[in-house]
Amino acid sequence: MTLINASFRHAGAQQLAQSLLAARQATLFLFDCYVSAGLDVVERMPRHLQLNPPLWQLAHIAWFAEWFILREAASSHPADAVYNSLLTRGDDLFDANMVEQRTRWKLDLPSPGAVKTYCHEVLDRVLDKLSREANVDGALYPYRLALAHEDLCGEQLLAGLQWLGLAAPGTLAASPALPAGLGEIAFPGGSIELGSRRDAGFAFDNECPPYACYVAPFAIDAVPVSNAQFADFVSDGGYQNRQFWSAAGSAWLMQQERSSPLYWLRDATQWRTLRFGQPVTLAPNEAVRHINLYEAQAYCAWAGRRLATEAEWEYAALSGHPRFQWGQVWEWTATPFEPYPGFAPDAWREYSAPYFMRHQVLRGASFATPPRLQSARMRAFHAPERGDIFAGLRTCAW
């Protein structure tokens, strides 16, 4: 594994410098995909309720790094920065706490060229400061945080390209095939420590503090549900049979009038799908993706199975079992997004707390998640209706 692909959670200064450069290169590469389509100008960009204008997103990424690293802010509170921004109105434009999502589409933003210049200036200063930092967790925390933030934003930018039907870089658009015949794995259960320790490298606040958790015996699929498996559910009338759908799922389904997953197309006798604007034959052995929570729950009901709890998922992922494989898609779990006992917000105060009890936990990672960000303890979270993200499922049973 190369240095930039190793986990960022314990990354030293050299690895962080290389990873920050790689992350910025990937971000600009994705942004240029929007530029090629003329969508760097906000007025030409179709609006999405949960995505940001790409120009705003690019500037916000640099602003976030400037806020926590160069301006030495102790937290995301608007009064916590020690120094002023390099931009005259930087906080007014790019502080996500000050600018609501719907307002970001109406701002008078700097030109794309000016935003790129700002990004380069911030990164140059960040790398210079990093070269003089002590190689200890406390000093490196803001750099690790900025790197994680940029990687998370990068996956959102890629999901936006998919939603808009725009071409994506080939290296980021690839999706690995699932190995066949791995079946399910039975685990005996037992007590585990769920979560991460704050004093052991970087951890997201919603992973902390760790706590003892008992997991009853269970059986879980070795790999996520494939396109072929989900196509059987669709062909069997899964979207029409309300007995498989929860009340919330039925309400969502009636509003959407959906009869197959997002981006699926019926072509004569086979299924096709839109991948970054291109219709392709649906690969049967790929993990199904762009599935929301309601669809995942309905599939499980049809299959006589259920979603795993996040404790079961983490137990399996950390077991070291050679057949348990993850990282193809984010996986919906049966667990609502709640704080662990003793939770306290971290410097990025709004990362988790506003979404508790409103979102659902996903575990794993997707093909679009940089390897350095992937961790079996990471808790992703999204609203149940989100199907535009790179999410799928695997099933479980008692």
Side-chain angles (χ1 to χ4, degrees):
M1 178 177 286
T2 62
L3 197 60
I4 63 168
N5 284 332
S7 174
F8 81 104
R9 293 177 178 238
H10 301 279
Q14 181 185 2
Q15 180 187 339
L16 283 169
Q18 292 186 16
S19 297
L20 285 164
L21 280 166
R24 183 56 49 80
Q25 182 181 25
T27 298
L28 291 172
F29 202 15
L30 288 167
F31 180 72
D32 283 343
C33 294
Y34 290 93
V35 174
S36 298
L39 298 181
D40 50 327
V41 178
V42 177
E43 290 76 12
R44 293 199 291 263
M45 174 79 180
R47 295 191 182 188
H48 186 296
L49 293 177
Q50 283 126 348
L51 296 177
N52 294 311
L55 183 62
W56 185 93
Q57 187 78 72
L58 178 63
H60 170 70
I61 288 169
W63 179 92
F64 188 96
E66 183 192 19
W67 178 266
F68 282 106
I69 299 172
L70 302 182
R71 300 173 66 186
E72 299 180 1
S75 83
S76 54
H77 188 280
D80 271 3
V82 177
Y83 304 106
N84 293 327
S85 176
L86 294 171
L87 297 176
T88 304
R89 298 179 56 230
D91 296 349
D92 294 335
L93 293 173
F94 304 119
D95 184 347
N97 295 323
M98 304 291 287
V99 186
E100 292 184 350
Q101 203 273 345
R102 64 175 179 269
T103 305
R104 297 167 196 171
W105 296 88
K106 306 172 185 176
L107 296 172
D108 184 16
L109 299 177
S111 68
V115 169
K116 284 189 174 183
T117 298
Y118 171 59
C119 289
H120 288 307
E121 181 65 22
V122 169
L123 183 58
D124 286 346
R125 295 189 185 205
V126 164
L127 295 176
D128 178 66
K129 187 175 182 181
L130 176 58
S131 69
R132 292 178 274 110
E133 292 285 11
N135 210 26
V136 296
D137 285 343
L140 297 179
Y141 169 82
Y143 299 89
R144 293 169 180 164
L145 178 63
L147 175 61
H149 175 261
E150 184 152 0
D151 281 341
L152 290 168
C153 290
E155 191 158 346
Q156 292 175 7
L157 285 168
L158 188 64
L161 293 177
Q162 168 67 31
W163 177 69
L164 289 164
L166 300 179
T171 55
L172 294 176
S175 182
L178 297 171
L182 294 186
E184 69 173 16
I185 306 167
F187 288 103
S191 294
I192 64 167
E193 185 177 78
L194 198 67
S196 303
R197 297 186 177 276
R198 289 185 186 270
D199 60 355
F202 182 92
F204 290 102
D205 61 5
N206 62 53
E207 302 169 11
C208 304
Y211 71 100
C213 176
Y214 176 76
V215 178
F218 67 101
I220 190 170
D221 293 340
V223 296
V225 170
S226 69
N227 284 326
Q229 290 172 308
F230 205 89
D232 287 341
F233 165 68
V234 176
S235 298
D236 198 36
Y239 279 78
Q240 289 75 39
N241 194 331
R242 290 296 190 270
Q243 74 177 33
F244 302 133
W245 296 80
S246 66
S250 292
W252 169 83
L253 193 59
M254 290 182 67
Q255 293 174 346
Q256 301 297 316
E257 297 183 355
R258 186 76 60 77
S259 60
S260 62
L262 186 63
Y263 307 125
W264 280 30
L265 307 166
R266 190 67 182 177
D267 183 5
T269 60
Q270 64 180 357
W271 284 105
R272 293 172 67 78
T273 189
L274 289 172
R275 292 285 170 83
F276 300 100
Q278 298 299 313
V280 297
T281 301
L282 193 69
N285 61 343
E286 284 182 359
V288 66
R289 67 199 208 206
H290 300 299
I291 298 299
N292 69 23
L293 175 64
Y294 304 133
E295 292 168 301
Q297 291 171 332
Y299 175 88
C300 287
W302 170 81
R305 307 276 286 181
R306 63 178 176 85
L307 294 174
T309 66
E310 67 169 328
E312 289 169 332
W313 195 98
E314 189 166 317
Y315 179 109
L318 293 175
S319 69
H321 197 291
R323 284 197 289 130
F324 190 86
Q325 299 188 23
W326 57 276
Q328 298 87 2
V329 287
W330 292 102
E331 301 174 29
W332 291 104
T333 72
T335 305
F337 186 47
E338 300 175 335
Y340 286 171
F343 167 84
D346 222 328
W348 184 6
R349 302 178 314 153
E350 299 76 23
Y351 176 64
S352 301
Y355 307 101
F356 288 142
M357 302 309 298
R358 295 169 48 202
H359 285 193
Q360 193 85 355
V361 174
L362 298 94
R363 286 305 195 102
S366 83
F367 66 95
T369 310
R372 60 179 167 261
L373 190 65
Q374 297 180 17
S375 168
R377 298 193 187 276
M378 185 173 177
R379 306 174 77 201
F381 49 95
H382 282 289
E385 68 273 11
R386 288 294 296 274
D388 58 303
I389 55 176
F390 302 114
L393 73 150
R394 78 173 72 212
T395 72
C396 191
W398 299 114

